[in-house]
Amino acid sequence: MMKSLLVAVLAINLSVFAGVKNPIKLGKSTVTWIGKKVTGAHEGTIALKAGDVILEDGALAGGTFVVDMTTIDVTDLEGEYKGKLEGHLKSDDFFGVAKFPEATFVITSVEGSIVKGDLTIKGHTEEQSFDLITKDNTISGKVMIDRTKFGIKYGSGSFFDNLKDKAIDDEFELNVNILF
């Protein structure tokens, strides 16, 4: 009896120490993107494929998010131009989704609202930190990502001269609203 009680207490303590894993609500979570260029901007959505959030004492402590790169959708264009831009974003010039259909973010630490982790895009991993707000069962915030750190240099004024009004900003914005 005592042995069973000791095993139960250890299991409870380990689960508290390890945190509680909560799956994200895929159908209710959203990720929108904005990519800017000299002459304007484009925007759209991208779907989360999987993920979980780890809470310790009710506070965000970790998590993993998988983005389905094949779902890149342009929402500010229609018809032929929409299809062309989506195809170009999915091509090797940008995210190469045929070879890299997923991007991931794995939280490695949380200090206040600063979430640090390993972001993998096109098979390349970089440590990133973002200011994200966790309230109730939602993580939200604006995330800026420098695409050139992941080998995405197409149209970058940092790498190519004489682009003039064809230059595309190195950073793109993600607005995340993740429910768990």
Side-chain angles (χ1 to χ4, degrees):
M1 174 77 168
M2 188 65 157
K3 190 174 183 180
S4 295
L5 181 60
L6 180 61
V7 169
V9 168
L10 280 173
I12 290 169
N13 284 336
L14 286 175
S15 69
V16 169
F17 179 74
V20 177
K21 190 182 270 192
N22 298 282
I24 63 172
K25 295 179 180 176
L26 296 175
K28 295 185 178 188
S29 299
T30 59
V31 179
T32 60
W33 59 265
I34 300 172
K36 297 180 180 177
K37 57 185 180 172
V38 173
T39 58
H42 290 291
E43 59 189 58
T45 62
I46 190 163
L48 289 162
K49 184 175 186 177
D52 56 64
V53 174
I54 298 171
L55 301 176
E56 290 180 2
D57 297 324
L60 180 64
T64 302
F65 308 96
V66 180
V67 177
D68 183 352
M69 298 302 288
T70 66
T71 66
I72 295 172
D73 183 41
V74 175
T75 58
D76 66 318
L77 296 174
E78 294 180 4
E80 176 184 352
Y81 293 108
K82 172 183 170 67
K84 283 184 179 184
L85 182 54
E86 287 174 357
H88 197 202
L89 291 172
K90 293 175 183 180
S91 77
D92 290 339
D93 282 344
F94 283 94
F95 297 104
V97 301
K99 186 174 180 183
F100 303 102
E102 297 177 350
T104 60
F105 182 65
V106 178
I107 297 173
T108 57
S109 68
V110 180
E111 296 174 23
S113 65
I114 304 299
V115 177
K116 294 181 182 178
D118 295 325
L119 178 63
T120 303
I121 299 174
K122 285 187 85 169
H124 183 81
T125 302
E126 288 282 331
E127 184 177 80
Q128 303 282 297
S129 62
F130 307 115
D131 189 10
L132 297 173
I133 297 167
T134 304
K135 185 176 179 184
D136 299 323
N137 289 343
T138 305
I139 298 171
S140 60
K142 179 171 108 173
V143 174
M144 298 302 292
I145 298 172
D146 183 344
R147 65 188 174 94
T148 64
K149 290 183 177 182
F150 300 92
I152 305 168
K153 298 177 183 175
Y154 181 88
S156 169
S158 300
F159 292 91
F160 302 100
D161 294 330
N162 301 320
L163 291 174
K164 297 181 183 172
D165 66 350
K166 303 278 189 215
I168 301 168
D169 288 1
D170 290 346
E171 286 190 325
F172 64 93
E173 177 182 322
L174 294 178
N175 291 292
V176 298
N177 194 45
I178 299 170
L179 279 68
F180 57 93

